[in-house]
Amino acid sequence: MPAWWHELLTISDELVIADDSLPPTFLLGAFGEVFAARAAELTQEQRGQVLGLLEHVLANGTEGDRSLVATGFLEALLNAWDKGFELRTVWDDLGPDSRAYCLAWNTFTGIDSPDWMRPR
């Protein structure tokens, strides 16, 4: 796993992955599920650190790292939203590339994005 992955895991003890033997995309997906489940328990600063680091990777990382963030973490976050996670509570904390990916994914999958997700 890349160095930024280990940095993510040091942000909060709340963001623990039970099975770290998963393939990388599944690890990021599991991390997204844990993040969604525990977002309310994290401080604003911790949520910002997680989402800021992942935004940085999405905007500046290698193609492989960008794919891990997009198809692992962001798609897991959107899946959690489908299951009741209040994505709106962290939407403004997502960076522009992360928000753009989420909107594009919704379009691709035929989901009508609510007004609060759309650029202002």
Side-chain angles (χ1 to χ4, degrees), residues 35-96:
F35 179 85
R38 304 258 170 91
E41 299 166 34
L42 300 173
T43 67
Q44 176 68 33
E45 180 181 342
Q46 289 169 324
R47 286 192 305 269
Q49 286 178 306
V50 167
L51 298 174
L53 177 56
L54 293 172
E55 174 71 12
H56 177 77
V57 172
L58 191 61
N60 303 298
T62 66
E63 184 176 335
D65 287 350
R66 291 190 313 266
S67 179
L68 285 175
V69 171
T71 61
F73 181 80
L74 292 174
E75 288 178 23
L77 212 57
L78 289 169
N79 189 44
W81 176 48
D82 289 342
K83 296 177 181 178
F85 168 60
E86 291 293 332
L87 180 62
R88 188 175 189 167
T89 63
V90 299
W91 184 253
D92 289 337
D93 297 324
L94 289 169

Side-chain angles (χ1 to χ4, degrees), residues 102-117:
C102 290
L103 288 166
W105 183 253
N106 282 352
T107 298
F108 176 75
T109 58
I111 294 172
D112 187 30
S113 297
D115 288 340
W116 56 263
M117 287 179 98

